[in-house]
Amino acid sequence: MADTINLSRRGFIIGTGATGLTIGILAACSPGTGDSEGDAAATGEPNPEVNAWVHIGDDDVVTIRIARSEMGQGTLTGLAQLVAEELECDWDKVVTEYPTPGENLKRDRVWRDFSTGGSRGIRNSQDYVREGGAAARMMLVQAAANRWDVPVGECSVEKGVITHGPSGNELRYGEVAEDAASVEPPANVPLKDPSEWKIIGQPVKRLDTADKVTGKQLYGADIQLDGMVNAAIKAAPMRGGTVRSFDASSAEGMPGVQKAMQVGDTAVAVVADKWWNAQKALDAVQIEWAPGEGSDFSSAAFEADLDEGLTAEEAYVGNQVGDVDAAFENAAQVIEASYNAPHQNHACMEPMNATAVWTEEKCEVWCPTQNGEAALAATAEAAGLPIEQCDVYKLLLGGGFGRRGMSDYVTQAVTIAKEMPGTPVKLLWTREEDMEQGFYHPTTKARCQGALDADGKLTGIKIRLSGQSILAGLMPQALTDGMDPYAFQGLLPSGFDERAEDQTLKYTYPAALFDHAMRNPPVRPGFWRGVNANQNAIYLECFMDELAHAAGRDPLEFRLEYMTDSPKLAAVLEAAAEKSGWGNDDGKARGLCAFYSFGSYTAACAEVTVSDEGELKIHRIVAATDPGYGVNPQQIDAQVAGSFVYGLSAALYGEITFENGETVQKNFDSYPSMRLAAMPEVETIVMPSGGFWGGVGEPTIAVAAPAVLNAIYAATGKRIRKLPIKDQPLRDA
Amino acid sequence: MAELKVNGKTVTVEVEDETKPLLWVIREELGLTGTKYGCGIAQCGTCTVHIDGQPVRSCTYPVGALSGAEEITTIEGLSEDGSHPVQQAWVEMDIPQCGYCQPGMIMAVAGLLNNTPDPTDEDIDQQVTNICRCGTLARVRKGIHLAKTKKA
Ligand code: FES
Ligand code: FES
């Protein structure tokens, strides 16, 4: 097959034709030194690709194509491990590159889905990427057998060297790669048994570290193209707001300013030679906003809507077991508590940005995105061009967390670039813009009720969720008769919705009712790392703790009693509790949480103290996770430890509130993120039990807050049911 | 026009506005994009550089406050080949996730070690206050303790 895609291993050049721009960005990472330029230059004439997933140069450098996005979560390295495992290549010779969404379209989506979210990057593509590696290996070995004119069964391969057993002849992959490209792809591609894995399951180093410690790593915000100009943007800060008018006269004479323009209905941008000049000038533009739906929205007032939902007659039922009314009628003791969780912003470290160049013939975009294909569709739409005349070049994301699954900033960049044909425009948001223009993690409340019998056994449990549906806001077509099954993440029975089979409840209750009163504020919601599992785990697992205490039971034993049908969840819970020293009398209070989400079993035991003055210190968290197969244990450790930073930043301080439709929080001073002084030691137990593929990037977020909240109760006897924890006295005066 | 000493070289930059933050001079006038913008209000630390060996958040440091005599060091100038002890430790422990905060984090840690070659956890808590949204903080602390044992 011809090398139909223009992913040159040597130049890493994207020629944009119209403007003759060149920039090296396709190389996602390189072997050894990570010096992409040098390694790339060392690679010889480009052979044709072996198949869509694998290219091998004359010098044996193996380029593995990665369709999913890397945003720090390590998926790029993990996916490369999967391909390399079946390819039987030399891991030290592996580099990666991103095919473009445009190439994917041209080649009938040979790389399938580009979207990277829901902790699905590896688990939803592991089968076909391994097959890609295995098929390439079979073609390479066949090519060698053909050259020697021997049966393929007499050949073996190790680390990219093919050996003919009887003669002892050897050929390197690089020597047969060109021939292999014209070998008929095998129809049957058997995969290795997991017991034979040599690269999968190993704690290999990430492939993309070297440039990140020297400042060489290029992000979207860093891109520099010939003749490029810079844009700063301000969108209506209030929900539903639009631009009524703007006066740029005071900005026009400012240094470097080229243009001020309205972008869509909602924003004004200034284009200048430098971004700093553009932003300064934008600050000088007088904009009059027209209010719209939601421009008077206030979080404080919305509390009443959420409260009303807690007792409303009508609600969508997500899980119903047994006769819950009878359980409550016959209860010896009924426990009730209400919890809430506020809006959150993703606050990716790298602010939103995209660089676009538009001509009448084509439009190209360079951007960090979790969904290359959606970014391409947004590009084509904003460009007013057929999608075949557009393309998107993905860069490493400076954080994603769900925010960069959206393409609003791509649309803006293309809209601006269209006003300046042939000139590349880089749009970069301020942090303030990022805080004001989020797709926020929804706010919800929950009313939890439990029925205990005279022996302290749980006979029934009810959780009423009240609050926003993400699907209703982002993709109403995905609702089921108006209901959002994902609102019940981690609470659904198996078999309820095949899309949510990886998000089911693992407790077995004699009677239960979980329902959802959908209350949608005029705030656009978003998928936020961990999504609805985050608050649902707080509601379920803090309340289970309350029930255990009300029943006079040990919270560990109490949980295990209702986990008998889920030995894997019980196993992670027991592992975390044991390693933490659950029950130890060492002056530290402990709190537990176990939850199943994104197909993985996770648990945490938090160790805290609360001073007499109410000051919280989280000393250590022991976290256990069973993702089924663990592709790279040291990266699983990194994701688990990182989940506590993200999850506890939200629990401790994170809160987006609205007044007059506008976010009150504008930057990290009012939307703080955890720093080292607050960071506990994290001990991870990675315990893959095999037989399934669970996610890694998100599931642990869910257990972070409940474990700490339960530990605070153990320390103080006081329940914190409102998040964030900040500003609340942890001890009663 | 102003003269600055950056990474051992004297450079001339055009400064129309003395209040312009050093960050944007470094990124846009000098083209050194390793130093990142994260907040612009001295909260996150992604923009950390050294001025005479001391870590400084360049997003709020007006270029007009420099005399030209100061030695400014950015991540690109921390070492020629990534061999600074902090960089070595960071690679050895595979610390970066997305990596966006890491130039600033590394400069903050290198600054800490300049002042306090054998920092305690309390020193670390007080002097390294950078934000990392990916959550590398647990490894960062271990990485600092590893870096202090390394030689350039
Ligand atoms: S960009 Fe300077 S501290 Fe955040
Ligand atoms: S590594 Fe991503 S923000 Fe720190």
Side-chain angles (χ1 to χ4, degrees):
Chain A
M1 200 199 309
D3 189 8
T4 48
I5 61 169
N6 186 20
L7 303 178
S8 156
R9 254 111 344 256
R10 295 162 305 140
F12 301 99
I13 302 281
I14 300 163
T16 59
T19 50
L21 311 168
T22 56
I23 181 163
I25 59 140
L26 272 178
C29 65
S30 314
T33 61
D35 179 351
S36 41
E37 300 293 321
D39 289 319
T43 310
E45 265 309 297
N47 285 328
E49 65 181 27
V50 180
N51 64 19
W53 301 98
V54 175
H55 175 277
I56 300 177
D58 293 346
D59 56 358
D60 295 327
V61 170
V62 174
T63 305
I64 294 175
R65 309 250 172 80
I66 306 293
R68 308 283 171 140
S69 297
E70 175 61 47
M71 48 191 151
Q73 83 282 35
T75 293
L76 177 133
T77 303
L79 288 171
Q81 284 177 263
L82 294 175
V83 175
E85 177 70 60
E86 294 290 344
L87 184 59
E88 294 285 359
C89 64
D90 183 352
W91 177 250
D92 292 338
K93 297 226 165 74
V94 169
V95 300
T96 60
E97 68 186 2
Y98 300 127
T100 70
E103 294 295 342
N104 200 34
L105 194 67
K106 269 187 218 142
R107 295 181 63 178
D108 290 332
R109 295 189 86 226
V110 66
W111 294 285
R112 304 205 206 182
D113 197 351
F114 276 41
S115 84
T116 312
S119 295
R120 284 189 292 263
I122 285 178
R123 64 192 172 117
N124 279 22
S125 69
Q126 50 80 19
D127 47 355
Y128 60 80
V129 303
R130 285 190 292 146
E131 280 166 17
R137 181 198 71 238
M138 291 165 76
M139 292 158 76
L140 288 155
V141 176
Q142 184 67 56
N146 292 352
R147 189 166 313 168
W148 290 322
D149 198 15
V150 300
V152 72
E154 290 179 6
C155 302
S156 62
V157 56
E158 202 187 328
K159 284 202 171 176
V161 178
I162 306 159
T163 306
H164 178 235
S167 67
N169 285 340
E170 286 185 354
L171 280 169
R172 292 177 294 102
Y173 271 1
E175 295 176 285
V176 293
E178 193 174 355
D179 290 2
S182 45
V183 168
E184 181 76 14
N188 242 334
V189 185
L191 296 178
K192 287 182 185 179
D193 186 84
S195 63
E196 299 170 88
W197 287 343
K198 291 174 292 202
I199 301 173
I200 300 174
Q202 292 307 307
V204 299
K205 291 284 180 65
R206 294 177 68 112
L207 293 169
D208 55 353
T209 296
D211 286 353
K212 291 177 182 168
V213 305
T214 58
K216 269 196 212 163
Q217 176 68 54
L218 197 69
Y219 297 84
D222 303 329
I223 235 176
Q224 191 62 39
L225 302 175
D226 289 345
M228 188 183 85
V229 295
N230 289 272
I233 198 161
K234 171 90 185 157
M238 70 291 288
R239 304 312 96 185
T242 50
V243 179
R244 176 172 288 146
S245 64
F246 71 98
D247 173 5
S249 51
S250 47
E252 266 152 20
M254 290 176 72
V257 171
Q258 299 192 1
K259 217 177 172 91
M261 65 179 92
Q262 185 170 334
V263 182
D265 295 334
T266 59
V268 173
V270 170
V271 177
D273 56 344
K274 306 280 162 56
W275 184 82
W276 173 253
N277 289 338
Q279 183 60 41
K280 284 281 272 194
L282 179 62
D283 290 341
V285 175
Q286 303 292 316
I287 310 172
E288 205 188 315
W289 305 108
E293 195 207 337
S295 294
D296 58 352
F297 177 71
S298 125
S299 298
F302 188 63
E303 294 262 323
D305 293 45
L306 293 175
D307 287 337
E308 179 275 326
L310 290 180
T311 52
E313 285 289 314
E314 290 196 7
Y316 295 109
V317 175
N319 197 343
Q320 189 163 19
V321 182
D323 189 344
V324 81
D325 289 339
F328 278 82
E329 271 160 33
N330 301 326
Q333 200 187 162
V334 171
I335 312 298
E336 177 163 343
S338 290
Y339 285 81
N340 84 334
H343 280 113
Q344 301 285 347
N345 189 26
H346 301 83
C348 305
M349 208 71 237
E350 178 194 22
M352 298 302 116
N353 66 83
T355 300
V357 57
W358 184 94
T359 66
E360 278 176 23
E361 290 81 41
K362 73 198 282 195
C363 182
E364 289 169 292
V365 167
W366 292 257
C367 69
T369 172
Q370 287 176 246
N371 194 339
E373 291 175 299
L376 176 61
T379 297
E381 192 177 338
L385 290 170
I387 199 162
E388 296 75 21
Q389 286 163 239
C390 302
D391 212 345
V392 168
Y393 309 105
K394 296 194 297 178
L395 289 98
L396 170 71
L397 288 67
F401 315 122
R403 178 63 181 84
R404 286 191 161 105
M406 312 311 295
S407 303
D408 51 324
Y409 52 96
V410 175
T411 300
Q412 289 179 341
V414 172
T415 305
I416 298 166
K418 203 174 167 185
E419 298 292 311
M420 312 185 79
T423 301
V425 181
K426 175 161 76 185
L427 170 70
L428 172 68
W429 286 16
T430 58
R431 175 60 58 198
E432 288 77 9
E433 195 70 2
D434 174 71
M435 290 288 175
E436 288 179 353
Q437 306 299 332
F439 286 81
Y440 305 94
H441 179 77
T443 179
T444 56
K445 289 195 176 197
R447 179 179 179 217
C448 310
Q449 295 164 280
L452 297 170
D453 69 12
D455 300 327
K457 292 240 184 278
L458 180 62
T459 53
I461 182 169
K462 291 198 265 189
I463 298 181
R464 161 63 63 86
L465 305 168
S466 173
Q468 187 167 17
S469 152
I470 301 173
L471 293 191
L474 289 187
M475 40 181 82
Q477 71 282 1
L479 296 171
T480 309
D481 296 330
M483 170 182 178
D484 178 353
Y486 284 107
F488 296 95
Q489 214 182 334
L491 303 178
L492 291 170
S494 181
F496 185 87
D497 185 317
E498 63 176 23
R499 296 170 299 173
E501 202 52 36
D502 56 348
Q503 314 279 358
T504 54
L505 178 75
K506 294 297 175 190
Y507 282 119
T508 304
Y509 294 123
L513 176 64
F514 298 148
D515 55 8
H516 175 215
M518 195 186 289
R519 295 292 178 273
N520 293 324
V523 171
R524 57 187 191 186
F527 296 102
W528 190 95
R529 191 176 181 186
V531 197
N532 293 312
N534 300 350
Q535 71 272 11
N536 289 350
I538 293 170
Y539 304 152
L540 181 68
E541 279 292 278
C542 290
F543 191 58
M544 280 297 280
D545 216 68
E546 296 206 36
L547 292 171
H549 285 283
R553 300 285 308 281
D554 173 82
L556 173 61
E557 282 172 24
F558 186 78
R559 282 183 174 80
L560 291 172
E561 204 168 298
Y562 302 95
M563 241 180 235
T564 45
D565 295 335
S566 184
K568 287 184 195 291
L569 191 60
V572 291
L573 177 61
E574 287 182 289
E578 192 194 329
K579 186 140 203 182
S580 161
W582 178 255
N584 276 6
D585 186 12
D586 57 1
K588 305 216 176 81
R590 287 176 171 76
L592 291 172
C593 179
F595 209 69
Y596 175 75
S597 60
F598 303 95
S600 287
Y601 301 86
T602 56
C605 185
E607 303 166 16
V608 314
T609 50
V610 178
S611 73
D612 291 344
E613 294 72 42
E615 205 184 316
L616 171 68
K617 169 92 184 152
I618 310 169
H619 297 271
R620 184 172 76 138
I621 293 179
V622 178
T625 181
D626 176 2
Y629 293 114
V631 176
N632 188 329
Q634 68 96 355
Q635 280 302 300
I636 297 173
D637 167 83
Q639 287 305 298
V640 169
S643 292
F644 289 99
V645 178
Y646 207 70
L648 292 180
S649 290
L652 292 170
Y653 339 96
E655 160 177 58
I656 293 287
T657 54
F658 297 88
E659 276 173 21
N660 297 318
E662 194 172 327
T663 63
V664 173
Q665 297 75 17
K666 305 289 186 193
N667 207 319
F668 287 122
D669 51 349
S670 45
Y671 189 76
S673 194
M674 186 183 255
R675 299 169 198 271
L676 273 163
M679 179 67 195
E681 185 190 332
V682 177
E683 192 157 330
T684 63
I685 309 168
V686 182
M687 42 192 287
S689 60
F692 64 99
W693 295 83
V696 166
E698 292 170 274
T700 300
I701 306 267
V703 298
V708 168
L709 290 168
N710 291 336
I712 291 172
Y713 176 80
T716 63
K718 185 176 170 187
R719 281 281 165 200
I720 303 296
R721 300 191 182 94
K722 182 175 156 37
L723 292 173
I725 296 168
K726 70 165 182 173
D727 301 337
Q728 296 180 68
L730 297 189
R731 285 189 190 277
D732 290 323
Chain B
M1 291 294 207
E3 283 204 345
L4 299 176
K5 264 197 264 173
V6 179
N7 297 334
K9 290 191 201 101
T10 300
V11 292
T12 312
V13 290
E14 200 159 330
V15 180
E16 301 126 337
D17 179 356
E18 299 253 302
T19 68
K20 182 169 181 169
L22 178 58
L23 169 65
W24 295 103
V25 173
I26 290 170
R27 285 182 59 82
E28 297 200 302
E29 307 293 335
L30 305 178
L32 296 171
T33 56
T35 306
K36 305 301 185 199
Y37 163 71
C39 70
I41 58 164
Q43 279 288 320
C44 73
T46 59
C47 64
T48 305
V49 300
H50 291 181
I51 297 180
D52 292 331
Q54 295 304 307
V56 167
R57 292 187 171 173
S58 64
C59 67
T60 50
Y61 198 101
V63 65
L66 292 163
S67 73
E70 303 88 345
E71 297 279 354
I72 299 165
T73 311
T74 71
I75 184 73
E76 290 91 345
L78 185 63
S79 68
E80 268 182 21
D81 49 1
S83 64
H84 185 280
V86 179
Q87 291 168 317
Q88 287 180 45
W90 254 235
V91 168
E92 194 171 319
M93 296 195 58
D94 233 5
I95 289 176
Q97 290 188 26
C98 83
Y100 190 82
C101 73
Q102 296 298 338
M105 189 73 82
I106 288 168
M107 294 307 283
V109 171
L112 164 76
L113 296 180
N114 283 348
N115 294 329
T116 318
D118 185 12
T120 62
D121 280 326
E122 287 68 38
D123 296 328
I124 292 170
D125 289 348
Q126 279 165 20
Q127 293 187 49
V128 184
T129 56
N130 295 31
I131 290 173
C132 171
R133 289 294 283 167
C134 295
T136 59
L137 299 178
R139 283 195 193 185
V140 163
R141 183 184 300 280
K142 290 183 188 150
I144 296 170
H145 288 302
L146 177 63
K148 72 189 188 189
T149 68
K150 291 198 175 290
K151 297 259 172 306

